[in-house]
Amino acid sequence: MTISTSTTQRQADAIVVGAGFAGLYAVHALRDKMGLDVVAFDAADDVGGTWYWNRYPGARVDIESVHYSYSFDDALQQEWRWSERFCAQPEILAYLEHVAERYDLRRSIRFKTRITSLTWDDEASVWVATTDAGDTWRAPHVVSGAGNLSVPKKPDFPGIEKFAGQVLMTGNWPHHEVCFTGKRVGIIGVGSSGIQAISEIAKTADHLTVFQRTPNYATPIGNELLDPAEEADYKANYQAIREASRNHFLGVPYQDAQPSALAVSAQERRAVFDDRWNRGGFRLFIDSFADILFDKRANDTAAEYIRERIRERVKDPATAELLSPTDYPYGTKRPPLETDYYEAYNRPNVTLLDVRTNTVKAVMPKGVELSDGTLHELDVLILATGFDACTGPLLALNITGRNGLRLADHWAHGPQTYLGLMSAGFPNLFMITGPQSPSVLYNMPLAIEDHVDLSCEAIAYLRKEGLGVIEPTPEAEQAWVAHTNELAQHTLLPESKTSWYMGDNIPGKPRRVLVYLGGAPNYRAKCEATVKAGWEGFSLTAAEGALA
Ligand code: N01
């Protein structure tokens, strides 16, 4: 369909939120595979989603690009060339632009348009979307590709609006090149974004001050140019690789994990850690020993190994100490991957400050003031302070479901979903990689494809059966929430008190695990069994009214 602009109240078969990995594939699947009228919305002026907004220096994927890419069309995966093992943001954005072009997706997307509310019309069984362009759209189905890490955390530093220099956010980086030469730069936050940005900005800034609250367990990404022979080999075996990925906890075809870090000698353990450290990616975390995320004593061995490596790389022992996490297990905060991150602290132009003990008091016109009264003068202040993860992007859509139920109220104590895909009282609303699905603990493009395909299957089933509405039963939802909470209790995740996996990074956000921790293969099996059992746990009914 080409979007009509002739009326102010318009109709479609499906509304898609977002034009990132999820929104693009949803448009293609719903429109081109199912033949539906689709309209998508994105606040940006082009496609890309997270890869559109996160343009900070050093932004790079941390699952190998050959794996972190669409699998839905073999021709696409054969023709696209990745230049590096872990490509940088511009190349991933170019890939998504290519996908938009190749499948002619832009004609179904309204850019520079944000959905301001989504309201279920009980009488007509349709969603009514309003946009900041002043339009209203009606459609029986909504597929949200709003993302998991797309709503940056609001700055919580008093006085920031009075800062005389430039404030930049990694999650909403300017489109022009930012030059740090001759500048005093400060950065708050040492998560994946901060760590990638620090490693790059340290090379050009006159001085870089890092304000660190909680140190992270960063390990080498192991990036290098992708050897064409290796690439050809991947491409010749893509089907098997994708299958192996989908059968792996994290959605990558790694197969070398040993059962337990505690079942081998210290020497053997060291050899495994060294090997995974050298091979890079998430191998140390996910492909060394299978009990690292579940057994504190196993975790301690990996944590101590990483601290040892930090001490080897950072020249000043006090700085190395400050960079070494000690009060939460490895992997309970999302582990960042790095290139030369720790070496940045050996440079004379980089200072590390501990803002856990000496907190940020305020941002002053000249710089950042800490609780002890010291003022750190800056020309540029970068906020790498994270996101309102998983629930934030959905709540930002201002969603009201059946009988006036607001999603914000339904989720007042944390997300409530069935399979992380739908929520009771919010019919025909498909949340791609929603909370309590494997999402960020799975290879995102594959997680997205699985969820979009499942949503399409639900819509096709409704149509085949002459029905109009699908939603989870409250009982199925409650059981799923209890199941995801219980799974989390069997892991070490709840032991970190500052992890966005648990909602801890946003003041006032309810503490509840935001991801499904049973692993992608179990999750996929559960979805398949649900469909096979006639959409068990869902209620499927006729639509209340015809589309007006
Ligand atoms: O955000 P984060 P991120 N005062 O929440 C600090 C993905 N990603 O944007 O830990 C002082 O991890 C906060 O400190 P603390 C990836 O999934 C992927 O870096 O709360 N500090 C922390 O250090 C990742 O996990 C890639 O004590 C404050 C930092 O800000 C996710 O996005 C690249 C503060 C936030 O870290 C989010 O990563 C980038 C305050 N008031 C991101 N408030 C890839 O490589 C916050 N902080 C693919």
Side-chain angles (χ1 to χ4, degrees):
M1 169 183 94
T2 304
I3 296 163
S4 137
T5 50
S6 58
T7 55
T8 49
Q9 206 183 93
R10 298 158 205 184
Q11 297 175 0
D13 295 325
I15 289 170
V16 169
V17 183
F21 264 100
L24 290 179
Y25 180 55
V27 169
H28 176 58
L30 292 160
R31 188 193 69 182
D32 303 335
K33 293 188 185 175
M34 292 189 69
L36 303 185
D37 275 355
V38 178
V39 60
F41 298 91
D42 199 294
D45 64 9
D46 202 358
V47 300
T50 204
W51 297 104
Y52 173 96
W53 298 104
N54 289 267
R55 298 166 181 249
Y56 58 86
R60 180 179 294 286
V61 70
D62 54 13
I63 285 181
E64 287 92 334
S65 291
V66 288
H67 307 315
Y68 184 93
S69 49
Y70 291 121
S71 70
F72 68 84
D73 183 348
D74 190 49
L76 170 68
Q77 62 184 9
Q78 293 296 335
E79 81 199 7
W80 184 261
R81 303 286 313 270
W82 296 108
S83 70
E84 296 177 271
R85 282 180 71 201
F86 299 87
C87 286
Q89 175 270 337
E91 196 162 329
I92 303 165
L93 186 59
Y95 168 74
L96 291 172
E97 288 167 355
H98 169 75
V99 169
E101 200 64 32
R102 192 185 200 287
Y103 301 96
D104 192 15
L105 301 177
R106 285 191 180 92
R107 71 183 159 90
S108 296
I109 305 168
R110 300 178 79 83
F111 293 107
K112 293 197 240 175
T113 310
R114 192 181 282 282
I115 290 182
T116 47
S117 70
L118 274 172
T119 307
W120 177 251
D121 178 337
D122 287 308
E123 280 167 21
S125 293
V126 292
W127 282 101
V128 183
T130 58
T131 74
D132 61 359
D135 297 332
T136 302
W137 284 83
R138 295 164 73 80
H141 302 286
V142 171
V143 177
S144 169
N148 295 75
L149 296 155
S150 50
V151 173
K153 179 183 169 183
K154 286 198 188 78
D156 48 5
F157 306 105
I160 195 156
E161 65 292 345
K162 297 195 191 119
F163 181 56
Q166 197 179 11
V167 177
L168 301 173
M169 292 180 89
T170 48
N172 186 3
W173 196 260
H175 283 217
H176 55 83
E177 199 178 326
V178 183
C179 175
F180 295 106
T181 312
K183 303 253 174 76
R184 298 162 303 173
V185 182
I187 181 164
I188 303 179
V190 292
S192 301
S193 308
I195 281 173
Q196 289 182 333
I198 289 162
S199 313
E200 282 305 305
I201 296 169
K203 294 176 189 164
T204 58
D206 185 52
H207 196 89
L208 177 64
T209 305
V210 178
F211 299 88
Q212 171 189 276
R213 194 162 62 183
T214 310
N216 236 316
Y217 294 97
T219 60
I221 191 167
N223 187 36
E224 58 192 9
L225 291 178
L226 184 57
D227 174 2
E230 196 187 333
E231 189 186 4
D233 198 38
Y234 281 127
K235 288 184 173 175
N237 296 295
Y238 239 139
Q239 205 187 332
I241 287 172
R242 298 298 197 178
E243 222 172 285
S245 295
R246 285 195 154 94
N247 284 313
H248 182 275
F249 192 97
L250 195 75
V252 282
Y254 298 168
Q255 288 160 352
D256 294 335
Q258 298 186 18
S260 172
L262 305 173
V264 294
S265 70
Q267 231 175 359
E268 286 167 310
R269 194 163 52 228
R270 173 81 199 197
V272 168
F273 286 150
D274 280 346
D275 175 73
R276 307 303 188 267
W277 175 277
N278 292 335
R279 285 162 70 198
F282 282 115
R283 285 200 167 77
L284 187 73
F285 175 45
I286 204 75
D287 202 33
S288 57
F289 297 103
D291 52 353
I292 279 182
L293 201 56
F294 300 91
D295 184 320
K296 179 69 168 55
R297 287 185 312 135
N299 192 287
D300 285 344
T301 65
E304 184 46 32
Y305 174 82
I306 297 170
R307 286 190 289 265
E308 254 182 74
R309 303 303 303 251
I310 296 172
R311 287 193 286 268
E312 277 167 26
R313 290 171 63 182
V314 179
K315 286 188 189 143
D316 173 41
T319 305
E321 206 49 43
L322 203 51
L323 286 166
S324 301
T326 50
D327 62 353
Y328 66 95
Y330 169 50
T332 58
K333 278 167 87 79
R334 202 277 203 176
L337 301 185
E338 53 82 35
T339 305
D340 294 340
Y341 171 61
Y342 292 108
E343 285 71 18
Y345 295 96
N346 295 333
R347 302 176 70 105
N349 66 329
V350 177
T351 306
L352 177 67
L353 295 175
D354 174 13
V355 297
R356 175 148 48 180
T357 49
N358 187 14
T359 57
V360 175
K361 186 172 163 202
V363 177
M364 310 300 280
K366 285 189 164 179
V368 171
E369 187 182 319
L370 301 184
S371 301
D372 68 356
T374 50
L375 176 69
H376 297 271
E377 293 197 11
L378 302 169
D379 304 305
V380 183
L381 175 60
I382 300 171
L383 303 179
T385 45
F387 298 88
D388 185 354
C390 303
T391 51
L394 288 154
L395 292 172
L397 293 170
N398 191 12
I399 298 172
T400 306
R402 215 180 254 300
N403 301 319
L405 176 65
R406 285 176 49 72
L407 189 68
D409 293 331
H410 189 51
W411 288 5
H413 303 293
Q416 313 242 92
T417 74
Y418 179 43
L419 299 175
L421 182 71
M422 300 191 84
S423 195
F426 299 85
N428 294 3
L429 170 64
F430 300 93
M431 302 177 294
I432 304 308
T433 65
Q436 296 158 343
S437 75
S439 66
V440 291
L441 277 182
Y442 187 17
N443 179 350
M444 283 307 262
L446 301 191
I448 283 165
E449 288 179 341
D450 289 356
H451 257 188
V452 170
D453 290 347
L454 191 60
S455 309
C456 289
E457 208 174 332
I459 295 170
Y461 184 77
L462 288 177
R463 297 191 142 215
K464 184 170 94 50
E465 299 295 316
L467 299 170
V469 177
I470 180 168
E471 64 193 297
T473 64
E475 296 74 30
E477 180 173 280
Q478 279 158 24
W480 187 254
V481 174
H483 176 54
T484 53
N485 288 342
E486 198 195 329
L487 284 173
Q489 292 311 319
H490 290 128
T491 73
L492 299 172
L493 235 67
E495 290 201 21
S496 162
K497 301 293 178 245
T498 61
S499 174
W500 61 256
Y501 285 150
M502 297 292 298
D504 286 328
N505 66 325
I506 302 293
K509 186 164 174 167
R511 185 162 216 258
R512 181 174 286 178
V513 67
L514 296 172
V515 284
Y516 171 84
L517 281 154
N522 285 336
Y523 176 78
R524 286 164 45 75
K526 169 74 188 157
C527 291
E528 274 165 31
T530 301
V531 175
K532 230 179 178 170
W535 293 89
E536 191 177 38
F538 289 95
S539 129
L540 294 99
T541 52
E544 283 298 322
L547 189 58

